[in-house]
């Protein structure tokens, strides 16, 4: 990675954001700028006070998983709220 690169982080699933935050921290060692963060699905189980990052775009939000009936509930992510 070249110094002062602009990087877009894309993740498939985000619970609290620990993996993405780790990537952001690592990129700072290369003097890189995070241009944005995109997430395919975010977990709705984590409250906003537990999230490790606030600035991201998600396409879908997993709000419920019923293991007994094997049903999931997915709603549009924050991309559709803008």
């Amino acid at each position: 990675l070249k110094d002062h690169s602009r990087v877009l982080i894309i993740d498939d699933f985000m619970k609290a954001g620990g993996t993405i935050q780790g990537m952001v921290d690592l990129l700072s060692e290369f003097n890189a700028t995070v241009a944005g963060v995109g997430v395919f699905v975010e977990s709705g189980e984590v409250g906003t006070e537990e999230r490790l990052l606030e600035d991201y775009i998600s396409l879908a939000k997993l709000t419920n998983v019923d293991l007994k009936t094997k049903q999931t509930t997915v709603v549009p992510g924050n991309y559709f709220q803008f």
Side-chain angles (χ1 to χ4, degrees), residues 8-33:
L8 177 63
I9 298 173
I10 303 294
D11 199 359
D12 59 348
F13 184 79
M14 180 180 78
K15 186 166 183 177
T19 301
I20 295 170
Q21 187 59 54
M23 293 172 70
V24 169
D25 294 343
L26 179 64
L27 288 168
S28 70
E29 293 182 23
F30 292 94
N31 299 312
T33 300

Side-chain angles (χ1 to χ4, degrees), residues 29-80:
E29 293 182 23
F30 292 94
N31 299 312
T33 300
V34 176
V37 175
V39 176
F40 181 60
V41 178
E42 68 174 296
S43 173
E45 294 180 4
V46 178
T48 55
E49 65 281 350
E50 296 177 67
R51 286 256 187 247
L52 298 176
L53 49 121
E54 299 174 15
D55 192 17
Y56 64 92
I57 300 294
S58 68
L59 294 179
K61 185 174 191 176
L62 180 64
T63 58
N64 187 41
V65 176
D66 187 331
L67 297 175
K68 193 173 192 178
T69 64
K70 298 184 180 176
Q71 297 287 319
T72 59
T73 306
V74 179
V75 297
N78 65 10
Y79 171 80
F80 300 99

